[in-house]
Amino acid sequence: MNLDCNSGKCTLSKSSDSQEWKFENVNSNIYHIRNIKSNQYLDSNFNGDVYTNPLYNNDFQKWIIELIYLNDLHEILGNTKGIFPKIGPVILVNKKTGRLFDSDFNGRVYTLPPNSANFQKYYLLPRDDYYFIASYE
């Protein structure tokens, strides 16, 4: 299942036209993650809610993307076209809260403190000039 945000609400789902994401580099491995259809950015809060909003450029909208087995994600994200069928697994850490992007069997998404569970691991699936964020499970 892929991350899908429609009308600001985010879930994991099998198919939708709201699943295409751009990773806009802020600094090193820190990114704004923009939904192509809505042109809004992945956002969160201290309660663990995940949603999209216009760009406010605050740390709630900045995500640290960490490859679990490699270190140089920025170079990989800049050179994926036709090279990698999938990137990862990765974890997405909210810069402001330190909580990890997480989900459950029902497709709900939220953030939680790190717990090493597979629901906190994702693959980035490169397409033309965007990515799908796919569940590890």
Side-chain angles (χ1 to χ4, degrees):
M1 293 199 297
N2 299 321
L3 177 61
D4 183 0
C5 292
N6 197 349
S7 302
K9 181 177 168 61
C10 296
T11 61
L12 291 179
S13 68
K14 292 187 184 214
S15 64
S16 165
D17 60 353
S18 303
Q19 296 180 343
E20 300 166 354
W21 299 90
K22 281 274 210 184
F23 286 77
E24 300 172 356
N25 187 251
V26 175
N27 184 11
S28 187
N29 65 335
I30 300 172
Y31 292 84
H32 287 128
I33 304 173
R34 180 173 54 89
N35 183 274
I36 290 178
K37 182 177 180 185
S38 69
N39 206 36
Q40 295 203 356
Y41 291 80
L42 197 61
D43 205 337
S44 188
N45 59 30
F46 282 115
N47 295 327
D49 301 314
V50 175
Y51 42 87
T52 57
N53 268 323
L55 182 63
Y56 299 130
N57 202 25
N58 60 44
D59 285 349
F60 287 110
Q61 291 183 321
K62 294 176 183 170
W63 296 85
I64 301 164
I65 313 297
E66 297 179 0
L67 279 164
I68 293 175
Y69 303 115
L70 298 171
N71 293 327
D72 197 358
L73 181 70
H74 179 63
E75 182 174 329
I76 290 173
L77 279 176
N79 298 292
T80 57
K81 308 315 178 256
I83 298 173
F84 300 100
K86 64 183 173 184
I87 301 168
V90 299
I91 57 173
L92 290 77
V93 183
N94 185 269
K95 186 174 187 308
K96 182 69 173 185
T97 66
R99 295 165 65 107
L100 275 62
F101 187 87
D102 206 330
S103 62
D104 63 22
F105 283 112
N106 297 315
R108 290 185 296 247
V109 296
Y110 39 82
T111 62
L112 284 176
N115 61 28
S116 301
N118 284 341
F119 284 115
Q120 292 187 333
K121 299 174 186 171
Y122 295 85
Y123 286 109
L124 306 181
L125 308 177
R127 297 300 181 263
D128 295 323
D129 61 344
Y130 59 88
Y131 295 85
F132 291 109
I133 301 171
S135 60
Y136 181 77
E137 288 290 314

